[in-house]
Amino acid sequence: MKFTNKFTFITSAIVLTCIALVLAGGMVSLRALSLKYHQQRIDSIIQVIEKQVAKQTTITQFDHWLPDVLDASGVVRLRVERDQQIVYQNYYEGRRYFPSRLLLRYDYDLKYYPGVRVIIHTRQPFSDLKFTFWPLLGITSAVILCLSLLWFAIRWMRRSFYGAELLERRARYLLQNNPTARFAQKGEWPKAASKALDVLSERLENSRKERSIFDTHIRGKVFLDEDTGLGNRLAFENRLDAVAMDENFLASTLMLISLTELSAVKHQFGVGEGEKIIQQVVDLLHHFCGRYDDSFYGRIQKSEFVILLPQMSYQETKVAAKQLTKLLYQLHLPEVSWIDNFFHIGVVNFPFGAKTMHIIDDVNQSLLVAEHQKISGWHLSEEDKNQAVIVKGTVRWRALLTDVLDRQALLMYRQHLMHRDAMSILYCELWPRIIGYQKEIIAAGTFMPMAEKCGLSDQIDKQMLEKVLALLVMRGELSKPIAVNLGAHLLMNKKNHQWFMFELMQQTRQIRHNLVIEVSEHLIDKDYFALRSALNALQKVGCKIAVDNVGKSVVNTSYILDFNIDYLKLHASLIRDIHNRKTNQIAVQSLMASCLNSHAKVIAVGVESKEEWECLLRLGIYAAQGSLFSTPQAMSI
């Protein structure tokens, strides 16, 4: 109940109770006074009788005047007893009959005549009273006036306290982390409290931003190059470990770019000219890597840059190396002739499961070969004939994916997420997989990029959601939650979002509560406001929201509070060998600190060893996912 309703209810109840008590008290007092006055009249009759007896008046003389006196006083019966013997009895027959239950009885012992008792029965004092309009007009007018004043008072209080209701609503929004609470509404009262909320909400917002900026700064100091803002060697090593051990990437490409003559340029033309060249390379790499999904580029030394392109075949690597070389030849140098021997590129295409040290050795050898050519260019190490790489054109991918969708042949693989005790399940995550032309199992990391190019990603996400909702209904409301990773396009597309909301509203709230929607962090950073409205709508109907791939790149974590995130899933690159990498521990602690003012729980992804898990437990992780606890298993839906 709102504050105004409570206040008006209490006020109305008090006023009405007071009116009722005044009326009831007046009636009781009036009755008591009437009975007192009536008793005084009877006392007077007794005194008259006693005086007449003292004068030795005969009984026959009483009959002449006593009935009239008794009738005028409302006496119906009179009886005189001496020693319980009736001495005199009078009964006045009026025009109306009065039952004994409506009469009042008075017993008197005569003062001067011991043993003589007078018993009188009288009518009620109000028996002859008739209530007419005019006597009741005053009381009625007073009651109506009180009720009218009460109505005006309640109306005035409602208007006066409407500002307090607005202030209360705003405070409630603040507790719910509703973004509309940042702005004061017109008419809020008291004004001082409204201004205080403005100041406090502004300070809270600034503190959140400062906290996010501070956490971003900490991780930036650890994983970003100070001069260029690109990933440093630590970030590169973490990403390379994660890509090499990710089964979704059957083959990937690593390029090592060395600006061989950069030091000579700085020596001859100054440090400023060298910094301009570095900035040109940064812009060029940003433009080049923007063509590839999930790519990474960074600076590992003063004159060396790396590019990591997941899911690249050997032939695609050649094309990419040629394109990169053409772009580097467009660098503006102090002397045009220097470009002929200014840079060299070592390229290696490595399969899933390759050792990180072997990959780095191969790319360094390729770079040495390129440098020995004495001309700017690239060198690609020989192809590993044993690696299995799926290479298909867009037309064949479209045909394969369309056939899978028509047959509803998406395969479902699940993996459990475990609590800190490593015994109880938090929820299980489902991934789609398909069967290729050669009957091979193709992971989502391989076919989903091609599905986006073919415009079929929304249909795959829809079919995935239908299967997950059917599984939740089949398991019942007491089953463990299920997580599914969705693309941003399905959530931001109005028609698809309405379809999803309609499907959810047909389920019970507990079923919706058991559904966890996972979205990648880079998608939130890319489409911040569009995804916030979509995810907030899903949360309002009962779904939980998880953000995965957290820490894959340095991103401001203010979305944790804005999106009211339930789970924060750390990228596997932060977890790999975390017990041996202090920088990764600092990054994990920073991300966990970003969740202090929210109810978000931090989950580690890619835990493969007991040492990693023990280190994560010391850091205070909430749950974990990885091969240490369970491996992906096929499900039949």
Side-chain angles (χ1 to χ4, degrees), residues 428-614:
C428 67
E429 182 178 359
L430 296 187
W431 299 292
R433 295 187 181 182
I434 62 174
I435 299 177
Y437 288 109
Q438 305 300 325
K439 304 302 180 183
E440 73 278 17
I441 304 297
I442 304 176
T446 302
F447 69 82
M448 283 304 293
M450 300 306 300
E452 292 181 4
K453 292 181 180 179
C454 299
L456 299 175
S457 59
D458 286 357
Q459 296 183 34
I460 293 177
D461 285 342
K462 277 188 175 181
Q463 193 168 117
M464 184 80 174
L465 286 172
E466 290 175 350
K467 289 179 176 292
V468 170
L469 290 175
L471 181 61
L472 286 172
V473 173
M474 180 181 66
R475 288 186 170 185
E477 297 183 352
L478 299 180
S479 64
K480 292 293 182 180
I482 296 177
V484 58
N485 196 293
L486 298 181
H489 188 265
L490 182 136
L491 295 173
M492 293 188 299
N493 184 274
K494 185 177 180 180
K495 183 177 180 181
N496 291 334
H497 190 264
Q498 288 178 348
W499 168 85
F500 188 24
M501 295 295 292
F502 177 76
E503 292 293 328
L504 288 173
M505 294 307 296
Q506 295 184 69
Q507 311 300 329
T508 63
R509 183 167 184 83
Q510 185 59 42
I511 293 294
R512 299 195 297 267
H513 190 70
N514 287 340
L515 179 62
V516 182
I517 305 298
E518 293 188 357
V519 182
S520 296
E521 186 183 53
H522 74 277
L523 296 178
I524 291 179
D525 185 53
K526 181 180 178 182
D527 302 297
Y528 194 90
F529 295 101
L531 279 178
R532 182 172 67 178
S533 59
L535 295 178
N536 285 341
L538 292 175
Q539 281 185 317
K540 289 179 180 179
V541 299
C543 297
K544 294 183 178 180
I545 304 300
V547 177
D548 61 355
N549 293 328
V550 177
K552 185 177 181 180
S553 56
V554 180
V555 175
N556 194 312
T557 55
S558 59
Y559 66 85
I560 296 176
L561 294 173
D562 286 348
F563 285 64
N564 198 21
I565 300 299
D566 295 289
Y567 302 112
L568 206 69
K569 300 182 67 177
L570 303 181
H571 191 253
S573 61
L574 291 177
I575 308 304
R576 190 82 60 198
D577 295 330
I578 190 173
H579 56 287
N580 295 326
R581 299 179 178 180
K582 296 295 182 181
T583 53
N584 288 18
Q585 297 178 24
I586 294 173
V588 171
Q589 288 175 331
S590 174
L591 289 169
M592 294 181 65
S594 301
C595 303
L596 290 179
N597 296 326
S598 69
H599 67 275
K601 305 295 189 299
V602 181
I603 301 173
V605 178
V607 181
E608 297 182 352
S609 65
K610 293 183 178 179
E611 292 78 8
E612 293 174 351
W613 179 231
E614 291 174 356

Side-chain angles (χ1 to χ4, degrees), residues 141-154:
S141 301
V143 173
I144 292 175
L145 179 61
C146 291
L147 294 178
S148 301
L149 293 175
L150 176 62
W151 182 79
F152 281 108
I154 291 174

Side-chain angles (χ1 to χ4, degrees), residues 151-400:
W151 182 79
F152 281 108
I154 291 174
R155 186 179 178 185
W156 176 82
M157 283 188 295
R158 285 185 177 277
R159 290 182 177 180
S160 300
F161 284 103
Y162 179 69
E165 289 184 0
L166 294 177
L167 196 66
E168 181 188 12
R169 184 191 307 171
R170 187 179 172 201
R172 192 182 305 114
Y173 286 166
L174 279 173
L175 295 175
Q176 296 173 354
N177 293 323
N178 193 319
T180 58
R182 302 172 185 171
F183 309 101
Q185 300 184 39
K186 186 179 180 180
E188 286 186 355
W189 178 86
K191 294 293 184 181
S194 178
K195 292 181 180 179
L197 278 183
D198 290 340
V199 174
L200 292 176
S201 60
E202 183 178 359
R203 289 180 180 177
L204 178 62
E205 185 68 19
N206 291 335
S207 66
R208 289 175 177 175
K209 291 180 180 179
E210 290 173 359
R211 180 72 199 187
S212 299
I213 293 173
F214 179 69
D215 293 331
T216 306
H217 177 72
I218 291 177
R219 289 183 284 121
K221 284 290 185 181
V222 174
F223 295 119
L224 296 183
D225 179 68
E226 295 183 0
D227 297 330
T228 61
L230 302 181
N232 58 16
R233 176 173 287 276
L234 292 174
F236 162 67
E237 292 176 353
N238 287 341
R239 183 65 67 87
L240 182 61
D241 284 342
V243 171
M245 299 305 296
D246 193 339
E247 62 179 2
N248 290 320
F249 304 134
L250 299 181
S252 303
T253 297
L254 176 63
M255 299 181 180
L256 177 59
I257 306 169
S258 176
L259 305 181
T260 312
E261 299 298 327
L262 180 63
S263 59
V265 171
K266 289 183 178 180
H267 177 74
Q268 184 171 348
F269 297 97
V271 178
E273 196 65 33
E275 295 300 327
K276 291 181 180 179
I277 296 175
I278 292 294
Q279 188 58 45
Q280 290 184 58
V281 174
V282 171
D283 296 338
L284 183 147
L285 294 179
H286 179 72
H287 174 70
F288 174 77
C289 293
R291 309 172 185 175
Y292 303 95
D293 295 330
D294 207 20
S295 61
F296 171 84
Y297 57 99
R299 185 185 187 188
I300 59 175
Q301 288 186 12
K302 294 295 183 181
S303 60
E304 288 187 357
F305 294 82
V306 291
I307 297 177
L308 184 59
L309 304 176
Q311 202 64 29
M312 291 282 289
S313 66
Y314 191 82
Q315 297 300 324
E316 292 172 334
T317 301
K318 289 183 178 180
V319 176
K322 292 178 181 179
Q323 293 176 347
L324 179 61
T325 303
K326 289 181 180 179
L327 289 175
L328 289 173
Y329 265 107
Q330 298 176 10
L331 291 174
H332 298 285
L333 302 181
E335 291 186 6
V336 179
S337 60
W338 284 35
I339 195 65
D340 294 335
N341 194 31
F342 185 75
F343 67 90
H344 299 89
I345 308 173
V347 186
V348 61
N349 183 257
F350 59 91
F352 159 70
K355 299 294 184 180
T356 304
M357 295 180 60
H358 295 166
I359 298 172
I360 295 178
D361 290 341
D362 290 343
V363 77
N364 285 327
Q365 291 177 6
S366 295
L367 180 61
L368 288 175
V369 174
E371 291 176 349
H372 288 161
Q373 295 174 357
K374 302 301 182 180
I375 187 173
S376 295
W378 58 276
H379 179 267
L380 174 61
S381 62
E382 295 183 0
E383 179 182 7
D384 184 1
K385 301 299 182 180
N386 295 324
Q387 68 182 41
V389 179
I390 299 177
V391 183
K392 296 183 179 69
T394 305
V395 176
R396 296 197 66 188
W397 272 112
R398 180 185 294 275
L400 175 62

Side-chain angles (χ1 to χ4, degrees), residues 10 45 140 149 289 419 603:
I10 293 174
I45 294 175
T140 305
L149 293 175
C289 293
H419 280 286
I603 301 173

